[in-house]
């Protein structure tokens, strides 16, 4: 907020520098937003919403948007921890990202995030095989998307 010792309103000032941890945090927020939008689009499909009959009264292929948002969410979810490899403090190794239970910094948080990304990938891979798997088997995989989205946002501690 406002600090008289600084001589300006720091709340409205743009940050002068951004760290790798800040960039990773912003990418995490983008990933959560993409997952939320994707889940809402999936719910529209589950309830057989028709944008032609209802609002906005136009033909709109929201199934294609749902697919692309899923791929964007997976990509950003992978980029979110991958960018931490360039961080100097705290130092992350590839092993900390792939098998985070033994990471030096925040092992519980990293493990929950890794489980969320693994579940998200578990949903995205069968999407390529959707026609071969059949609709009912493929649709059962989409249940894991909800688990991935919930587990990625279920535990978010307040940083020290």
């Amino acid at each position: 907020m406002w600090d008289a010792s600084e001589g300006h309103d720091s709340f409205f000032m743009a940050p002068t520098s951004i760290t790798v941890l800040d960039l990773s945090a912003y990418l995490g927020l983008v990933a959560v937003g993409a997952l939320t939008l994707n889940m809402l689009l999936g719910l529209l499909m589950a309830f057989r919403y028709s944008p032609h009959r209802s609002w906005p009264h136009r033909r709109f292929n929201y199934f294609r948007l749902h697919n692309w948002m899923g791929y964007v969410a997976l990509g950003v979810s992978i980029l979110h921890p991958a960018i931490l490899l360039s961080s100097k403090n705290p130092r992350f190794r590839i092993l900390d990202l792939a098998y985070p239970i033994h990471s030096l910094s925040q092992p519980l948080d990293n493990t929950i995030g890794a489980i969320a990304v693994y579940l998200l990938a578990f949903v995205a891979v069968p999407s390529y095989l959707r026609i071969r798997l059949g609709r009912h088997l493929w649709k059962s995989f989409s249940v894991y998307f909800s688990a991935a989205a919930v587990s990625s946002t279920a535990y978010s501690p307040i940083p020290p």
Side-chain angles (χ1 to χ4, degrees), residues 80-156:
H80 163 63
I83 201 164
L84 291 174
L85 292 173
S86 64
S87 174
K88 301 214 184 317
N89 187 15
R91 186 77 181 137
F92 283 92
R93 302 167 298 184
I94 293 176
L95 182 64
D96 293 335
L97 300 182
Y99 186 65
I101 196 139
H102 295 296
S103 65
L104 300 174
S105 177
Q106 299 177 331
L108 180 62
D109 303 342
N110 297 339
T111 303
I112 291 172
I115 290 170
V117 171
Y118 295 152
L119 286 173
L120 192 58
F122 183 69
V123 172
V125 170
S127 294
Y128 288 114
L129 307 171
R130 181 182 60 223
I131 294 175
R132 280 194 231 161
L133 288 174
R135 185 175 183 272
H136 294 290
L137 180 60
W138 174 77
K139 195 172 180 182
S140 67
F141 281 111
S142 66
V143 173
Y144 291 104
F145 172 76
S146 300
V150 169
S151 67
S152 67
T153 59
Y155 183 77
S156 58

Side-chain angles (χ1 to χ4, degrees), residues 40-63:
L40 292 173
L41 289 170
L43 285 172
L44 286 176
M45 287 189 298
F47 289 112
R48 301 203 184 275
Y49 176 77
S50 171
H52 185 64
R53 285 181 298 203
S54 303
W55 183 85
H57 301 292
R58 302 206 188 305
R59 295 204 184 273
F60 179 70
N61 189 354
Y62 62 92
F63 179 72

Side-chain angles (χ1 to χ4, degrees), residues 12-29:
F12 294 106
M13 295 298 292
T16 55
S17 65
I18 186 168
T19 65
V20 173
L21 294 176
D22 293 336
L23 184 59
S24 177
Y26 294 147
L27 285 174
L29 288 174

